[in-house]
Amino acid sequence: MYFDGCPSWRHALDALLDALRSLDQAPNICLVRVDTPEAAEAARFPGSPTLRLGGEDLFPASHDFGLGCRLYFTEDGPRGWPTQAMIEVAVRKQLDLDA
């Protein structure tokens, strides 16, 4: 999920694709553009980019919902998208790939 003014959503998409390839998971990605504050509230959109799997946020956090940039805390410091490694860990956990 993203909004048009977000400078980070394409980086997040690239990291997501790389993570899915690394995990041998077929990508089935649906890009959802959120373009109004009302749509953000209705979609429970905590900011751009938001990555969801099965409708669940891969990086749940308590946020207000609205059009804004999301911040991810990576091992290299804060940035606007999660790393490939962070996504791999979150996908493994959500899909229970280590079981």
Side-chain angles (χ1 to χ4, degrees), residues 55-66:
E56 298 295 321
D57 195 328
L58 285 179
F59 303 95
S62 57
H63 290 286
D64 292 327
F65 304 117

Side-chain angles (χ1 to χ4, degrees), residues 44-47 50 57 59-66 69-71 73:
R44 301 181 54 81
F45 177 63
T50 291
D57 195 328
F59 303 95
S62 57
H63 290 286
D64 292 327
F65 304 117
C69 294
R70 236 178 128 163
L71 194 59
F73 295 94

